[in-house]
Amino acid sequence: MTVQDTAVSASSLTVQERRELLRTMHLIRSFEEAILRDYHADKAPAWDIGAGLIPGEMHLSAGQEPVAAGICAHLTRDDAVTATHRPHHMAIAHGMDLDRLAAEIFGRETGLGKGRGGHMHLFDPDTHFSCSGIIAEGYPPALGQAFAFQRRQTDRIAVAVTGEGAANQGAFHESLNLAALWKLPVVFVVEDNDWGISVPRAASTAIASNADRAAAYGMPGIRVEGNDVEAIHAAAAEAVARARSGDGPTLLEIHTLRLWGHFEGDAQGYRPELSTVNEHDPIPAYQARLVADGVLSDEDAAALKEEAVARVDAAIGFAKNSPTPQPEEALRYVFVEGA
Amino acid sequence: MTVQDTAVSASSLTVQERRELLRTMHLIRSFEEAILRDYHADKAPAWDIGAGLIPGEMHLSAGQEPVAAGICAHLTRDDAVTATHRPHHMAIAHGMDLDRLAAEIFGRETGLGKGRGGHMHLFDPDTHFSCSGIIAEGYPPALGQAFAFQRRQTDRIAVAVTGEGAANQGAFHESLNLAALWKLPVVFVVEDNDWGISVPRAASTAIASNADRAAAYGMPGIRVEGNDVEAIHAAAAEAVARARSGDGPTLLEIHTLRLWGHFEGDAQGYRPELSTVNEHDPIPAYQARLVADGVLSDEDAAALKEEAVARVDAAIGFAKNSPTPQPEEALRYVFVEGA
Amino acid sequence: MTATAVNPSGQTPAEEQRAAAAPSSFPVEPDPGTRRLNTAKAIQEAIGSQMEQNPEVFVMGEDVGAYGGIFSSTTGLLDRFGAQRVIDTPISETAFIGMGIGAAVEGMRPVVELMFVDFFGVCMDQIYNHMAKIHYESGGNVRVPMVLMTATGGGYSDGAQHSQSLWGTFAHLPGMKVVVPSNPYDAKGLMTAAIASDDPVVYMFHKGVMGLPWMAKNKRSIGAVPEEDYLVPIGKARVARAGTDVTIVTLSLSVHHSLDVAEQLAGEGISVEVLDLRSVVPLDREAIVASAAKTGRVIVVDEDYQSFGLSGEIAATLLESPDARGAAFSRVCVPDVPIPYARELEYAVLPTHARIEAAVRAAVGA
Amino acid sequence: MTATAVNPSGQTPAEEQRAAAAPSSFPVEPDPGTRRLNTAKAIQEAIGSQMEQNPEVFVMGEDVGAYGGIFSSTTGLLDRFGAQRVIDTPISETAFIGMGIGAAVEGMRPVVELMFVDFFGVCMDQIYNHMAKIHYESGGNVRVPMVLMTATGGGYSDGAQHSQSLWGTFAHLPGMKVVVPSNPYDAKGLMTAAIASDDPVVYMFHKGVMGLPWMAKNKRSIGAVPEEDYLVPIGKARVARAGTDVTIVTLSLSVHHSLDVAEQLAGEGISVEVLDLRSVVPLDREAIVASAAKTGRVIVVDEDYQSFGLSGEIAATLLESPDARGAAFSRVCVPDVPIPYARELEYAVLPTHARIEAAVRAAVGA
Ligand SMILES: Cc1ncc(C[n+]2csc(CCOP(=O)(O)OP(=O)(O)O)c2C)c(N)n1
Ligand SMILES: Cc1ncc(C[n+]2csc(CCOP(=O)(O)OP(=O)(O)O)c2C)c(N)n1
Ligand SMILES: [Mg+2]
Ligand SMILES: [Mg+2]
């Protein structure tokens, strides 16, 4: 295992690349903020999870934007990404159409899944994106996408994401073993946000870093501390290159931060560090760094944010103005062929 | 990971201990030979797996006796053992009543499970023994037995056994993680006989030793080469002591040998080393060593074998003379309470 | 070869005696009294009381400790009993459910939570090949007195992987009892019975009956619950409302919708009997047949998938009974479709008030 | 809120058209000819032929390579197609079934073997929450054209964890088709249809119909099979024997026992119709109703567990049909008990010739 430290002193990235990373993070955060707002807007006074424009469980990714931005910067839309119950940041960074993403979350016929899937079940053939609400069970399908890419002799890869809690699930183990055995072009990402709902990492495993598990399969493992988008970008560069060149999978654990509750409505009474969480928000920190490095001005940064908000507003507007599905069509799409 | 080599030059065991190890191995082998004989006796001329005195799949453990003898020498009947589809050697070494074991295999009312279970489903409250025909799924219940022992503040332990093929199953991973996290008194044993049915270890995992996986959970891992009962005994001594003293689990991988087919009827066409397998039979080798070391004479050794055969014959006789279950009672024992 | 007559209870007289005797220390279905609790609190109370009386009872699962269970099934237990007996687990269902089995085999009485029943696919082997079969395979020598508690059901747009009922899946596989309380009183009595049982019991609570503050509440999710311990016998249905024109056989949250419909239609002179099954295994076939024989019309209302499950088994029960085989039969279930996310679609497949009402009207020709 | 009428086929006219058109390149149920194969060889032939024609078809599973599949479903394929397309896997069902799903999502056509259906508990999440639901959750945008092939059934003392049928379990969960061939002709045609299908298909072969040299053989495990490719349509039952007095609705190995009984009783003037379902999902309800309406008596013979499964669904199908609801109904299934090991016990719970015969006699009052 290699531990990569926060302190990547001088950036090896171009100005353009660094701006892109910030832009992606702003876009994600703006999206999550908009969903947060609309999710809670019409559940009052008696807060009802099933009520309102956006019903159901809602797992937002605020704080984990560096992971998505840093990794997906290396991907094209021909690469596959499989994500978790907390999928928006990966979906957006991977280039999913924002309108159709928003429409799915609002349960509209124009959504990615025509409202059948919802926020934990996003499937996008255009970006080879999928996710699963079942812990660690997004890993195995990624193997098959990677296998198809390998067999067709492309250099396309699959990125498979889970949380640190998921690393204790059987599917995690089986998937890593299989990918290493067959040198599948996969990058396994563990987003370690210290918590699996209310259970801290230390109550889930006796080991300090899941990257140590890579050796159990014969693949390299890297843990990236500090939730720093550039350090993540650098680690991902290696892992992606390894996968593309046919040298097989890498396990990348990234220490990140869950800024908000596990899901919306989570009061987080179990979380001792709650009062100081906001101090570690990675976006203002990165923005300040770029400004300090002269990559952009405060005004440029504000413009990036505004641009993101505008794009998100348009997507939310698209979603809200889209038709809801017809109840009569509830049984459509069970099978391709008649049943 | 520590690799312990075959070459345990001078034995640290007492004469009595060494004789016991040989005696246990002879007892197991004699049992397996008897089952082998009776299993095939009445399936001819058209060999039918469901026919004869012993029907069904039959997974015999010949060649793996050193594992059972070396480990169970450290256990009392208050310790738990959970085994696999290939359970006889562990059951016998752990002290299971031979009559009731044989009777279960012959499907008799006097069997451990009154003929309901069969050879892959042996449950013995007297020796806290159980097994499962589902790969790696014997591990999780062992955790619970260990947990009960721990909570009751005893120094009893659980030994959980699987094959090397099973180490790639999710249950393996989850169980090791949980046991290490809670410092449960478990010894995890992987019997590496190089094969999972027809699939060689190298086609199952990219790593050379499953003991390397122990680090992924924060527990010690030891691989024992050579299928040598004294080396296994020594490695198990440490692991058992660690568990008994409250220091938590150990993963012990033992390189052993499947002398016969995966199950009876397996022609083993897939096995390139087939013609030389018998040369590596661990029992004659150990017996010769004990004779050479002056632990016993050739006559003593022959007597040990005869004694084992006689004991086994008695058990087989008991089984054959026991009543078969009543068909009318097929639905008994689904529930303790009425249903 | 001759056809083998099999003893349907599968018990010897001695066993039946023991079974009848076992948990008799608690009263059976006492008067409910006046104290009112929601279903979640009733469950917590049952578990807590059994934990107090028996040190071998413990609770294990994801977020059952400080969080108190995602659906509040274990709120307060950590504070009362400590982390040694109320154990938060890693997300390793196979390992910790299997651990419950092993502990039960050694005589402990684990209450293990599988957070959503929808997750059964990652751990079903331990449940159906081990928890449910060990007693039989051991010829009755090894018992597995374990409760597997799990949340079921939809109605709040949680999508295809978090909204299922699936009791039919568990009931189809032999060796485990399956109980499905619909209200606080039954929830407490069935949990007490489940912990007292020497058999493995799958205890399935619908999120919508818990009375959670953050979910639309049915008025019957709060009700009278005795303070003392008591049993609701496993395997006994309850006539939730007596009627003469048509029988609704139902369970869990659908009991409430059915009662709502029954109350509404009573005004029109349609008399609906509502039978709350409470247990799926054992299924109270006698109660089903008795009610069907009385009303001559049966509607099964079931939030599980329609085909190859509970509703079909009730049809077979009718057809196999000389008294009930002529009864009219229809069903209001979730059709064979993954539960859709969008509210309009989900409520098109759920057994809603409207669908139940339509089925009753169709049955009585009104 | 109003009751929502749901379109039972769940299809738009355009989709129905596409579905009808899709695999029409192969003839449907052609004349069987005279060449005889056992079921295992028929399956191998179907897979091999599809692999030849389509490079995206591949086979994956435990011991499918050099061993040729524990029940010979893949014998010879490794030699023909090499280890790149006939892939032995580690014992990691969740990983490799999930891998099949991902490959199918990218347009490949995997045939994945789960060695025994009894092992579903270690990998069901991939099967029922992913393979079966992705198409629906994606609003039809993502297809999963995958075949999950698995061995079922008992009768050779393999015990409670290796002898189950379990088609009811798969059929209860929406989104996967479930086919269950009973003979070589259907086995080939259904495998060809399964690989051609754009939907996930669970293909369940009973070990006892394979014609294995090391297992008691039924005479019908060898039969005429065309050399060319052809389809047996998924969802269509077959009248395996026409009759007028009583209908046996059955599938898989039980078809043969039922035909044996029908042949025997014909001598006594009892005319038994045997309906081989061939598919459980979709269930050919029309064929069931038509036969039941004709004979007025239905016996379900099913090697799966009795309660909450296929046999109940057939009861419901009868009760829901004006033409068939009066039919007499009984069932010969495995009662709700883990499959016992000892031969005497196992054959007491299996649907044997003797039990089927007794049921037919009871039905016709002879
Ligand atoms: C198999 C399974 N078990 C439990 C859950 C419930 N669950 C949803 S999210 C979650 C915590 C996941 O923690 P982690 O993997 O760290 O991801 P994070 O939520 O922190 O992003 C749990 C237990 C589930 N969805 N699937
Ligand atoms: C979950 C599961 N998958 C597959 C099988 C079929 N199976 C039985 S034994 C076996 C090979 C086991 O290999 P290993 O763990 O090395 O044990 P060995 O047989 O060598 O003792 C397989 C694949 C099973 N019983 N359970
Ligand atoms: Mg986490
Ligand atoms: Mg092996």
Side-chain angles (χ1 to χ4, degrees):
Chain A
M1 187 193 66
T2 325
V3 175
Q4 298 208 355
D5 215 329
T6 325
V8 178
S9 46
S11 178
S12 58
L13 299 178
T14 66
V15 164
Q16 186 51 34
E17 284 171 327
R18 301 179 84 187
R19 288 180 67 112
E20 261 321 301
L21 292 175
L22 183 62
R23 183 198 310 277
T24 302
M25 296 202 290
H26 272 310
L27 185 61
I28 296 168
R29 179 66 60 83
S30 302
F31 188 83
E32 298 295 58
E33 285 166 344
I35 296 293
L36 181 75
R37 204 164 42 239
D38 274 328
Y39 183 78
H40 288 287
D42 45 5
K43 291 196 166 48
W47 197 90
D48 171 4
I49 189 175
L53 270 177
I54 307 176
E57 279 183 70
M58 181 52 61
H59 312 82
L60 298 175
S61 63
Q64 304 186 189
E65 297 89 351
V67 184
I71 289 168
C72 294
H74 302 286
L75 307 181
T76 80
R77 291 159 62 92
D78 288 336
D79 296 314
V81 172
T82 66
T84 68
H85 58 286
R86 196 181 304 290
H88 303 167
H89 57 320
M90 297 304 308
I92 293 170
H94 192 41
M96 182 182 283
D97 181 77
L98 223 55
D99 290 354
R100 296 181 67 212
L101 170 60
E104 187 61 23
I105 294 171
F106 281 80
R108 302 305 166 108
E109 191 68 30
T110 54
L112 279 174
K114 302 183 182 139
R116 272 74 177 166
H119 113 97
M120 283 191 276
H121 310 114
L122 305 169
F123 296 93
D124 183 16
D126 292 343
T127 58
H128 301 269
F129 186 93
S130 58
C131 57
S132 171
I134 310 297
I135 290 303
E137 298 280 334
Y139 267 21
L143 305 178
Q145 297 180 289
F147 175 82
F149 299 158
Q150 185 188 61
R151 284 302 156 96
R152 290 167 181 165
Q153 305 190 329
T154 68
D155 69 348
R156 296 161 63 190
I157 70 165
V159 173
V161 183
T162 66
E164 92 296 336
N168 303 309
Q169 180 70 222
F172 174 90
H173 173 74
E174 294 188 11
S175 300
L176 268 70
N177 183 62
L178 214 63
L181 178 65
W182 293 334
K183 283 196 183 297
L184 295 174
V186 187
V187 176
F188 294 105
V189 177
V190 175
E191 293 188 89
D192 175 7
N193 62 8
D194 290 325
W195 294 95
I197 310 185
S198 71
V199 180
R201 192 187 49 207
S204 283
T205 182
I207 63 168
S209 162
N210 285 304
D212 288 344
R213 292 186 166 169
Y217 312 102
M219 71 172 76
I222 299 170
R223 180 167 164 100
V224 183
E225 290 291 350
N227 205 20
D228 172 41
V229 68
E230 296 196 10
I232 297 164
H233 186 278
E238 268 185 61
V240 168
R242 184 177 294 116
R244 286 207 200 286
S245 63
D247 292 338
T250 303
L251 174 60
L252 220 55
E253 179 164 75
I254 296 168
H255 197 179
T256 184
L257 175 74
R258 200 186 80 199
L259 212 43
W260 300 343
H262 169 73
F263 38 28
E264 288 313 307
D266 176 6
Q268 303 195 72
Y270 53 79
R271 198 169 173 182
E273 84 283 18
L274 195 56
S275 61
T276 62
V277 165
N278 280 328
E279 295 165 19
H280 303 287
D281 187 335
I283 297 185
Y286 190 56
Q287 180 164 316
R289 184 164 145 208
L290 293 197
V291 171
D293 284 4
V295 170
L296 36 61
S297 65
D298 284 327
E299 293 72 40
D300 293 339
L304 269 190
K305 176 71 184 174
E306 273 163 40
E307 185 196 304
V309 167
R311 179 67 197 90
V312 166
D313 282 351
I316 302 283
F318 172 82
K320 288 183 178 171
N321 290 320
S322 291
T324 55
Q326 295 298 313
E328 298 75 26
E329 297 215 322
L331 301 198
R332 235 181 115 171
Y333 307 123
V334 178
F335 291 119
V336 177
E337 298 142 15
Chain B
M1 186 194 65
T2 324
V3 175
Q4 300 209 352
D5 215 329
T6 326
V8 178
S9 46
S11 177
S12 58
L13 300 177
T14 65
V15 165
Q16 187 49 35
E17 284 170 329
R18 301 179 83 189
R19 288 180 66 112
E20 261 320 302
L21 292 175
L22 183 63
R23 183 196 308 278
T24 301
M25 295 201 290
H26 271 312
L27 185 63
I28 296 169
R29 179 66 60 84
S30 302
F31 187 83
E32 298 296 57
E33 286 167 342
I35 296 292
L36 181 75
R37 207 166 37 240
D38 274 327
Y39 183 79
H40 288 288
D42 46 5
K43 291 195 167 50
W47 198 90
D48 172 3
I49 190 175
L53 271 177
I54 307 177
E57 279 182 71
M58 181 51 63
H59 312 83
L60 298 176
S61 63
Q64 304 185 190
E65 297 89 350
V67 184
I71 289 168
C72 294
H74 301 286
L75 307 182
T76 79
R77 292 160 60 92
D78 287 336
D79 295 315
V81 173
T82 66
T84 67
H85 57 286
R86 197 182 304 289
H88 303 167
H89 57 319
M90 297 304 307
I92 294 171
H94 192 43
M96 182 182 282
D97 180 77
L98 222 54
D99 291 354
R100 296 181 67 213
L101 169 61
E104 186 61 24
I105 295 172
F106 280 80
R108 303 305 165 110
E109 190 68 31
T110 54
L112 278 174
K114 302 183 182 141
R116 272 74 178 166
H119 114 96
M120 282 190 277
H121 309 114
L122 305 168
F123 296 92
D124 183 16
D126 291 345
T127 58
H128 301 270
F129 186 92
S130 58
C131 57
S132 171
I134 309 296
I135 291 303
E137 297 280 335
Y139 268 20
L143 305 178
Q145 296 180 289
F147 176 81
F149 299 158
Q150 185 189 59
R151 285 303 154 95
R152 289 164 182 167
Q153 303 189 330
T154 68
D155 68 349
R156 296 161 63 190
I157 69 165
V159 172
V161 183
T162 67
E164 92 295 338
N168 304 309
Q169 180 72 223
F172 174 90
H173 173 73
E174 295 187 11
S175 299
L176 267 70
N177 184 63
L178 214 62
L181 177 65
W182 293 333
K183 282 193 184 295
L184 295 175
V186 187
V187 176
F188 294 104
V189 177
V190 175
E191 293 189 90
D192 175 8
N193 61 9
D194 290 326
W195 294 95
I197 311 185
S198 71
V199 180
R201 192 188 48 207
S204 283
T205 182
I207 63 167
S209 162
N210 285 304
D212 288 344
R213 292 186 167 170
Y217 311 102
M219 70 172 79
I222 300 170
R223 180 168 165 99
V224 183
E225 289 291 349
N227 205 21
D228 172 40
V229 66
E230 296 196 10
I232 296 165
H233 186 280
E238 267 184 60
V240 168
R242 185 176 295 115
R244 287 208 199 287
S245 62
D247 291 339
T250 303
L251 175 60
L252 220 56
E253 179 164 75
I254 297 169
H255 196 180
T256 183
L257 175 73
R258 199 186 80 197
L259 213 43
W260 301 342
H262 169 73
F263 38 28
E264 289 313 307
D266 176 6
Q268 303 195 72
Y270 52 81
R271 198 168 172 184
E273 84 284 17
L274 195 56
S275 61
T276 61
V277 165
N278 280 328
E279 296 164 20
H280 302 287
D281 187 335
I283 297 185
Y286 189 56
Q287 181 165 315
R289 183 164 147 207
L290 293 197
V291 171
D293 284 2
V295 170
L296 38 60
S297 66
D298 283 329
E299 294 72 40
D300 292 340
L304 270 189
K305 176 70 184 174
E306 275 164 39
E307 187 197 302
V309 168
R311 178 67 196 90
V312 166
D313 281 352
I316 302 284
F318 172 82
K320 288 183 176 171
N321 291 320
S322 291
T324 56
Q326 294 299 312
E328 298 74 27
E329 296 214 324
L331 299 199
R332 235 180 114 172
Y333 308 123
V334 179
F335 291 119
V336 177
E337 298 142 16
Chain C
M1 219 179 320
T2 59
T4 306
V6 275
N7 158 8
S9 98
Q11 289 196 309
T12 58
E15 281 174 314
E16 266 163 27
Q17 220 169 12
R18 184 173 56 195
S24 66
S25 44
F26 302 119
V28 175
E29 299 201 54
D31 185 88
T34 56
R35 188 189 58 144
R36 292 168 63 80
L37 294 182
N38 70 15
T39 301
K41 290 215 176 73
I43 293 174
Q44 297 155 19
E45 187 169 278
I47 299 173
S49 176
Q50 297 312 304
M51 287 182 77
E52 254 169 23
Q53 292 166 56
N54 186 348
E56 302 290 356
V57 180
F58 68 98
V59 174
M60 179 166 53
E62 291 156 14
D63 306 284
V64 298
Y67 200 103
I70 292 297
F71 302 103
S72 300
S73 53
T74 59
T75 309
L77 296 178
L78 176 67
D79 287 346
R80 278 172 69 191
F81 299 103
Q84 295 294 302
R85 294 183 66 199
V86 181
I87 307 170
D88 273 338
T89 64
I91 311 171
S92 308
E93 287 85 359
T94 290
F96 73 74
I97 290 175
M99 187 174 137
I101 295 168
V105 161
E106 293 296 335
M108 298 190 80
R109 298 209 161 241
V111 178
V112 183
E113 182 163 279
L114 173 63
M115 190 190 288
F116 287 70
V117 71
D118 312 68
F119 309 156
F120 85 90
V122 305
C123 54
M124 193 59 167
D125 188 71
Q126 285 297 324
I127 297 170
Y128 103 106
N129 264 335
H130 294 85
M131 183 186 84
K133 289 180 180 166
I134 287 175
H135 183 257
Y136 187 84
E137 290 170 329
S138 75
N141 287 321
V142 177
R143 297 180 177 191
V144 188
M146 162 165 165
V147 180
L148 182 68
M149 168 165 74
T150 189
T152 72
Y156 61 102
S157 290
D158 220 6
Q161 294 177 337
H162 288 74
S163 303
Q164 300 166 100
S165 293
L166 297 180
W167 34 71
T169 296
F170 289 80
H172 183 55
L173 302 165
M176 43 194 158
K177 295 185 170 171
V178 179
V179 302
V180 186
S182 71
N183 61 54
Y185 181 94
D186 289 349
K188 180 172 176 182
L190 283 169
M191 179 54 83
T192 305
I195 297 174
S197 172
D198 282 336
D199 291 314
V201 178
V202 182
Y203 183 102
M204 307 179 89
F205 61 80
H206 195 296
K207 303 150 203 168
V209 308
M210 294 295 265
L212 300 170
W214 45 275
M215 206 175 260
K217 270 179 295 297
N218 188 292
K219 59 178 188 258
R220 296 181 201 82
S221 57
I222 299 184
V225 178
E227 299 204 29
E228 85 250 32
D229 298 317
Y230 61 93
L231 301 175
V232 167
I234 296 175
K236 288 269 170 270
R238 182 178 74 96
V239 177
R241 180 187 173 100
T244 53
D245 293 334
V246 57
T247 300
I248 295 180
V249 179
T250 186
L251 73 177
S252 192
L253 182 65
S254 297
V255 171
H256 305 298
H257 302 323
S258 300
L259 287 171
D260 290 342
V261 170
E263 284 170 15
Q264 176 201 326
L265 294 184
E268 300 182 28
I270 302 174
S271 171
V272 179
E273 176 143 314
V274 178
L275 188 68
D276 179 353
L277 289 173
R278 303 199 294 195
S279 297
V280 184
V281 177
L283 183 63
D284 192 345
R285 297 181 198 265
E286 281 165 41
I288 296 167
V289 165
S291 184
K294 180 171 79 169
T295 64
R297 299 181 186 96
V298 173
I299 300 168
V300 181
V301 178
D302 181 9
E303 197 177 317
D304 197 2
Y305 300 117
Q306 172 161 311
S307 297
F308 308 98
L310 171 64
S311 61
E313 189 57 27
I314 291 170
T317 302
L318 298 178
L319 277 179
E320 285 170 339
S321 154
D323 297 336
R325 57 164 290 113
F329 173 83
S330 64
R331 36 187 181 172
V332 178
C333 307
V334 171
D336 303 328
V337 58
I339 315 278
Y341 165 67
R343 191 181 296 119
E344 295 77 11
L345 300 174
E346 186 181 16
Y347 277 84
V349 306
L350 287 174
T352 51
H353 187 117
R355 288 178 65 207
I356 300 167
E357 180 186 335
V360 173
R361 291 191 188 280
V364 300
Chain D
M1 220 181 322
T2 60
T4 306
V6 274
N7 158 8
S9 97
Q11 290 196 307
T12 59
E15 281 174 315
E16 266 163 28
Q17 221 169 10
R18 184 174 55 194
S24 67
S25 43
F26 304 118
V28 174
E29 300 202 53
D31 184 87
T34 57
R35 188 189 58 142
R36 291 167 63 79
L37 294 181
N38 70 16
T39 301
K41 290 217 176 70
I43 293 174
Q44 297 155 20
E45 187 168 280
I47 299 173
S49 177
Q50 296 313 304
M51 287 181 78
E52 255 168 23
Q53 293 167 55
N54 185 349
E56 302 290 356
V57 179
F58 69 98
V59 174
M60 179 167 52
E62 291 156 15
D63 306 283
V64 297
Y67 200 104
I70 293 297
F71 302 103
S72 300
S73 52
T74 59
T75 310
L77 297 178
L78 176 66
D79 287 347
R80 279 172 70 192
F81 299 103
Q84 296 293 302
R85 293 184 66 198
V86 182
I87 306 170
D88 273 338
T89 64
I91 312 171
S92 309
E93 287 85 357
T94 291
F96 73 74
I97 291 175
M99 187 172 135
I101 295 168
V105 161
E106 293 297 334
M108 298 189 80
R109 299 210 162 240
V111 178
V112 183
E113 181 164 280
L114 174 64
M115 190 189 289
F116 287 70
V117 71
D118 312 69
F119 309 157
F120 85 90
V122 305
C123 53
M124 193 59 166
D125 188 72
Q126 285 298 323
I127 297 170
Y128 104 107
N129 264 337
H130 294 84
M131 183 186 84
K133 289 181 181 165
I134 287 174
H135 183 258
Y136 186 83
E137 289 169 330
S138 75
N141 288 322
V142 178
R143 296 177 178 194
V144 187
M146 163 165 166
V147 181
L148 182 69
M149 168 165 74
T150 189
T152 72
Y156 62 103
S157 291
D158 220 4
Q161 294 177 336
H162 288 75
S163 303
Q164 300 167 100
S165 294
L166 297 180
W167 34 72
T169 296
F170 288 80
H172 182 56
L173 302 165
M176 44 193 157
K177 295 186 171 171
V178 179
V179 302
V180 186
S182 70
N183 61 54
Y185 181 95
D186 289 348
K188 180 172 174 181
L190 282 170
M191 180 54 84
T192 306
I195 297 173
S197 172
D198 282 335
D199 291 313
V201 179
V202 181
Y203 183 102
M204 308 179 89
F205 60 81
H206 195 295
K207 303 149 201 168
V209 308
M210 294 294 265
L212 301 171
W214 45 275
M215 205 176 262
K217 269 180 293 300
N218 189 289
K219 59 178 188 261
R220 295 180 202 83
S221 58
I222 299 185
V225 178
E227 299 205 28
E228 87 250 31
D229 298 316
Y230 61 93
L231 301 175
V232 167
I234 296 174
K236 288 271 169 267
R238 183 179 74 95
V239 177
R241 181 188 174 99
T244 52
D245 294 333
V246 56
T247 300
I248 295 181
V249 179
T250 185
L251 73 175
S252 191
L253 182 64
S254 299
V255 171
H256 305 298
H257 303 323
S258 300
L259 287 171
D260 291 342
V261 170
E263 284 170 16
Q264 178 201 326
L265 294 183
E268 300 181 28
I270 303 175
S271 172
V272 179
E273 177 145 312
V274 178
L275 188 70
D276 180 352
L277 288 173
R278 302 198 296 192
S279 296
V280 184
V281 177
L283 182 64
D284 192 346
R285 297 181 198 263
E286 280 165 41
I288 296 166
V289 165
S291 184
K294 181 170 78 169
T295 65
R297 300 182 186 95
V298 173
I299 301 169
V300 181
V301 179
D302 181 9
E303 198 179 316
D304 196 2
Y305 300 117
Q306 171 161 312
S307 297
F308 308 97
L310 172 62
S311 61
E313 189 58 25
I314 291 170
T317 302
L318 299 178
L319 277 179
E320 285 169 340
S321 153
D323 297 335
R325 55 165 291 114
F329 173 83
S330 64
R331 38 187 180 172
V332 178
C333 307
V334 171
D336 303 326
V337 57
I339 315 278
Y341 165 67
R343 191 182 297 118
E344 295 77 9
L345 300 174
E346 186 181 16
Y347 276 84
V349 306
L350 286 174
T352 52
H353 188 116
R355 288 178 63 206
I356 300 167
E357 180 186 334
V360 173
R361 290 191 188 281
V364 299

